[in-house]
Amino acid sequence: MIVGNDPTGRIQRVVVVGGSLAGVAAAEELRQRGFGGDVALVGDEALLPYDRPPLSKAVLAGEREVTETLLRPSEWYDEQQIDLTLGDAAVDLDVGGRTVGLASGARVPFEGLVIATGAAPIALPGAPPLDGVHTLRTAADAEAIRERLATARNVVIVGGGFIGAEVAATAAGHDCTVTILEALGAPMERVIGTTVAELCADLHRGHGVAVRTGALVTRLHGESAVRAVALDDGTNLDADLVIIGIGVRPSVGWLSNSGLAIADGVLCDSCCRTGAGGIVAAGDVARWEHPTLGSVRIEHWENASRQGQSAARALLGEPEPYGPVPYVWSDQYDRKIQIVGDPSEADEMTLVDGSYEELRFVALYGRAGRLVGALAMNRSRPLRAARSLLADGVSFADATEAFNSTEVKSASRRPGPTGVQ
Ligand SMILES: Cc1cc2nc3c(=O)[nH]c(=O)nc-3n(C[C@H](O)[C@H](O)[C@H](O)COP(=O)(O)OP(=O)(O)OC[C@H]3O[C@@H](n4cnc5c(N)ncnc54)[C@H](O)[C@@H]3O)c2cc1C
């Protein structure tokens, strides 16, 4: 039962486009803040909104079904009076007329709009549409790859980013060869730096995965189904399952004639507001002015959830600059990698806890004398301290010193609830 009226006194009908994490978080926040007007959620996928991280982990491994990863049970939408339109894509936005056009031909009126259409995988340039070649973004993608994995003999993963590395870790448990092709020196190197990226490469190799670095794909061979992957050094790798994990692009096609400013995402101010009144954006699709990091677009789970909430508050007339310390995790084999901040362009790095040999450690990353990020492998607790230091904007030297202090060390040695410290 929804009680209360619209606290802004202006907006009585909010449409959220994008039925996933950021969209659901926005809709939920509207209700939690007492918004009593209409809330409609429009998504192009036919399924109830579900969680994506398990797709490359438990769902791909066959340990969970997608139906077990729903963000909210179906009755929640009724309870919250959120009107769901699923399996129908938004195809245009009329800012002046305050309507969203759907593929079905319907026009959905709104007073407030949350853009939460996320991102979609980049296809391998020039590759023909061969059977056995997949990207991984949706439940349908995960189910299709899982089915192919059961009988695949040679799996090639193009791109050693987080998704590619997680798919490799899951595929390694199957009766097939698994190869990661990475254009750079080591998987995830761009984000986590050479030292840790090489540890990760060794982790994969230790599980029987071939990691080929500096590898550029020139062609996919096959008539109707993929047969081999050709590399620029002349190698042809046998392949009957190819997963392309070379990144995503924000899903903004439906906004192309809207007049909204778009440049690698929907451009927003620090409070998630676009240049058009009553229209906000959140999650993987949003590029906003982070109060300390500048113009950023973040493709991580926690951001989509928190930014959805922030965007909803802005719609309700409670804008506040949204400036999180970015956080992402990745599960590969029995290792949990967690990153706070942005280590990608660090010019220094130091180990402050644990050891590289045990693959259980925390490393700090600095740039121009400032702490810019921290990475933990199977060490959750100390990362919280690093996150606070990042929020405080401390220098790299002070952060290193703080980590070596008794206080951080003893706090981080208390075991966490899951046994991962
Ligand atoms: C396989 C996988 C594993 C991941 N693992 C991790 C992890 O371990 N840790 C982590 O931090 N992050 C992870 N992520 C990233 C995280 O899941 C995303 O950051 C998050 O899902 C973004 O949420 P979103 O709501 O912004 O966008 P999305 O989840 O992309 O949702 C957008 C929704 O909008 C729909 N849509 C798009 N266009 C339209 C349209 N025109 N009309 C209607 N609907 C539309 C899409 O189909 C989709 O349902 C993972 C992502 C994937 C794909």
Side-chain angles (χ1 to χ4, degrees):
M1 178 71 180
I2 307 301
V3 289
N5 292 316
D6 163 27
T8 68
R10 283 173 282 134
I11 290 174
Q12 285 299 332
R13 179 174 165 76
V14 175
V15 172
V16 180
V17 181
S20 191
L21 187 57
V24 170
E28 182 170 41
E29 184 72 2
L30 289 171
R31 289 307 189 211
Q32 284 191 350
R33 296 261 158 176
F35 178 69
D38 294 342
V39 178
L41 186 73
V42 177
D44 61 358
E45 295 185 79
L47 287 172
L48 279 174
Y50 57 88
D51 211 11
R52 281 178 218 283
L55 298 181
S56 50
K57 307 171 183 78
V59 172
L60 201 60
E63 293 157 4
R64 277 170 89 186
E65 294 303 322
V66 172
T67 47
E68 297 172 280
T69 69
L70 298 182
L71 291 172
R72 298 286 179 275
S74 60
E75 52 282 12
W76 180 84
Y77 298 91
D78 292 338
E79 284 160 16
Q80 297 296 315
Q81 295 181 14
I82 293 168
D83 179 24
L84 281 180
T85 300
L86 299 176
D88 203 354
V91 290
D92 72 83
L93 167 64
D94 178 351
V95 171
R98 311 301 276 180
T99 57
V100 173
L102 303 187
S104 60
R107 290 214 75 82
V108 183
F110 68 85
E111 291 168 10
L113 177 69
V114 181
I115 297 171
T117 42
I122 299 172
L124 193 65
L130 294 172
D131 191 39
V133 180
H134 296 257
T135 52
L136 176 52
R137 183 77 190 178
T138 65
D141 296 337
E143 283 165 349
I145 296 171
R146 182 167 83 180
E147 193 182 323
R148 300 297 291 235
L149 260 181
T151 54
R153 281 165 300 149
N154 299 297
V155 179
V156 174
I157 294 152
V158 182
F162 286 120
I163 303 271
E166 289 189 352
V167 171
T170 305
H174 291 69
D175 185 19
C176 54
T177 71
V178 182
T179 305
I180 299 177
L181 301 177
E182 169 56 52
L184 298 178
M188 302 173 288
E189 185 180 25
R190 193 183 52 77
V191 180
I192 62 180
T194 307
T195 307
V196 181
E198 280 172 359
L199 291 175
C200 291
D202 288 343
L203 174 68
H204 285 284
R205 291 188 179 111
H207 284 83
V209 173
V211 180
R212 293 182 76 120
T213 56
L216 286 177
V217 174
T218 53
R219 220 181 135 186
L220 299 183
H221 290 290
E223 274 97 62
S224 59
V226 69
R227 193 167 32 81
V229 177
L231 304 184
D232 67 340
D233 65 1
T235 312
N236 273 320
L237 294 171
D238 286 347
D240 52 355
L241 175 57
V242 174
I243 292 123
I244 312 289
I246 58 174
V248 294
R249 283 205 187 95
S251 299
V252 291
W254 65 286
L255 298 168
S256 55
N257 295 320
S258 66
L260 291 185
I262 300 199
D264 183 40
V266 177
L267 297 187
C268 299
D269 68 6
S270 63
C271 303
C272 313
R273 296 172 296 199
T274 69
I279 302 183
V280 295
D284 285 15
V285 77
R287 171 169 285 280
W288 87 103
E289 285 302 320
H290 187 292
T292 56
L293 302 177
S295 173
V296 290
R297 189 173 65 76
I298 294 182
E299 298 165 358
H300 303 157
W301 190 96
E302 187 188 77
N303 181 65
S305 176
R306 291 184 56 191
Q307 197 171 21
Q309 296 166 348
S310 185
R313 292 195 291 274
L315 262 192
L316 293 178
E318 303 163 30
E320 56 192 42
Y322 173 64
V325 174
Y327 168 77
V328 63
W329 83 94
S330 175
D331 297 327
Q332 298 169 33
Y333 310 101
D334 59 351
R335 301 290 110 177
K336 182 177 282 296
I337 300 165
Q338 294 170 290
I339 301 170
V340 289
D342 175 16
S344 64
E345 282 168 32
D347 55 29
E348 59 185 327
M349 178 199 177
T350 187
L351 182 76
V352 287
D353 195 288
S355 78
Y356 291 142
E357 291 73 29
E358 291 174 85
L359 291 181
R360 193 164 174 279
F361 63 87
V362 178
L364 300 183
Y365 294 73
R367 184 166 59 235
R370 311 301 307 168
L371 177 71
V372 292
L375 181 148
M377 193 181 275
N378 279 25
R379 291 287 280 139
S380 290
R381 202 172 272 266
L383 205 67
R384 288 179 218 151
R387 197 169 191 172
S388 304
L389 294 168
L390 279 160
D392 293 344
V394 303
S395 71
F396 184 72
D398 285 351
T400 307
E401 193 177 319
F403 249 87
N404 288 328
S405 76
T406 334
E407 203 181 317
V408 171
K409 281 222 183 299
S410 54
S412 63
R413 286 215 171 99
R414 272 177 245 128
T418 60
V420 176
Q421 285 182 25

